[in-house]
Amino acid sequence: MATIDVCLSPELLPLYHLEGKLVIVVDILRATSCMVTAIAHGVDHIIPFDNLEECAGMKAQGYLTAAERDGKQVEGFDFGNSPFTFMNPEVEGKKIAVTTTNGTACIKKSEGAKEIGIGSFLNLRAVAAYIRTTKSDVVIACSAWKGKPNAEDTLFAGVLIELLPEFEPESDNCLLALTLWKAAKENPVGFINETTHVKRLHKLGITDDIEFCMKQDVYPIMLLIKEGQIQKA
Ligand code: 3SL
């Protein structure tokens, strides 16, 4: 029986022995939700970076660039980290280089895995279906906030575990995530409105992104990282 586990913070990834496993990286607010939105709106591929300088340097290779730090768009980049900015015909066929506070760092820290997929509520059931077909051992890697676990990524881990009862839980983090999801599933948006990150985003005037990122199955696509590029599976 294949196993499933939840890593609550990228800082803990070294404990998970990722070789041979499928890792699903999740940053509900908002990095992985933006990646799914961008590819669904015709972006050819996305390259994730964990630092601003390398990401900015991709402009010279014809990439559009996106950068977020502490919720804000970084000056000099084409985009920040709002999914709505990628619902734009101008991104069709384009390549994007992206760096965010936690999400892209979590992707980089997952690089020892056999395969890396991108998860969000927006492509929830496509992710579950892909996991089912691979039958690999799976780790759901939560991007968290500066190393500290967060509720929104853990919630996503919980719903994925609920959708995959045939996978054997590898640690009690699965039980924690599933219990959290069961407590929140009647009103997930109301639940995450209580989180510190939503409060942080609200202080920046960001509200619409939150409700959108909590919508399920808007884009039935699976994204995988192939040779460093995030693209449709
Ligand atoms: O940390 C990240 O990767 C971002 O998704 C955070 S924010 O929602 O853009 O503030």
Side-chain angles (χ1 to χ4, degrees), residues 13-176:
L13 277 170
L15 302 176
Y16 283 75
H17 311 293
L18 301 181
E19 309 78 27
K21 295 183 183 167
L22 165 65
V23 172
I24 302 296
V25 175
V26 52
D27 186 348
I28 294 300
L29 298 174
R30 295 165 288 170
T32 57
S33 300
C34 281
M35 290 167 187
V36 171
T37 304
I39 299 281
H41 285 266
V43 165
D44 182 73
H45 68 263
I46 299 168
I47 301 191
F49 291 90
D50 53 12
N51 70 80
L52 292 164
E53 295 70 27
E54 276 184 89
C55 186
M58 295 302 285
K59 250 187 190 181
Q61 293 182 41
Y63 280 72
L64 293 171
T65 57
E68 166 277 332
R69 287 295 180 270
D70 293 320
K72 292 175 248 168
Q73 178 170 343
V74 181
E75 229 184 285
F77 288 78
D78 301 306
F79 301 101
N81 202 26
S82 168
F84 293 106
T85 57
F86 298 105
M87 297 174 194
N88 171 354
E90 280 173 29
V91 303
E92 258 183 65
K94 297 278 173 26
K95 312 173 282 188
I96 299 184
V98 63
T99 180
T100 67
T101 310
N102 305 287
T104 56
C106 187
I107 291 172
K108 301 304 281 180
K109 286 189 170 137
S110 302
E111 273 175 354
K114 181 178 76 174
E115 200 166 40
I116 303 174
I118 301 296
S120 71
F121 285 106
L122 299 173
N123 68 337
L124 171 63
R125 282 174 180 77
V127 173
Y130 184 78
I131 293 173
R132 255 181 237 117
T133 61
T134 68
K135 297 187 180 73
S136 297
D137 292 340
V138 187
V139 175
I140 306 162
C142 299
S143 297
W145 182 261
K146 299 188 179 176
K148 297 178 184 171
N150 69 19
E152 60 275 17
D153 296 343
T154 311
L155 211 53
F156 175 81
V159 67
L160 210 44
I161 288 164
E162 184 176 69
L163 290 171
L164 296 165
E166 64 273 41
F167 283 72
E168 185 185 349
E170 179 81 27
S171 79
D172 286 348
N173 280 352
C174 298
L175 182 61
L176 295 177

Side-chain angles (χ1 to χ4, degrees), residues 216-228:
Q216 293 186 17
D217 302 313
V218 176
Y219 305 119
I221 55 172
M222 178 64 198
L223 308 189
L224 291 174
I225 304 194
K226 293 182 192 151
E227 289 166 17

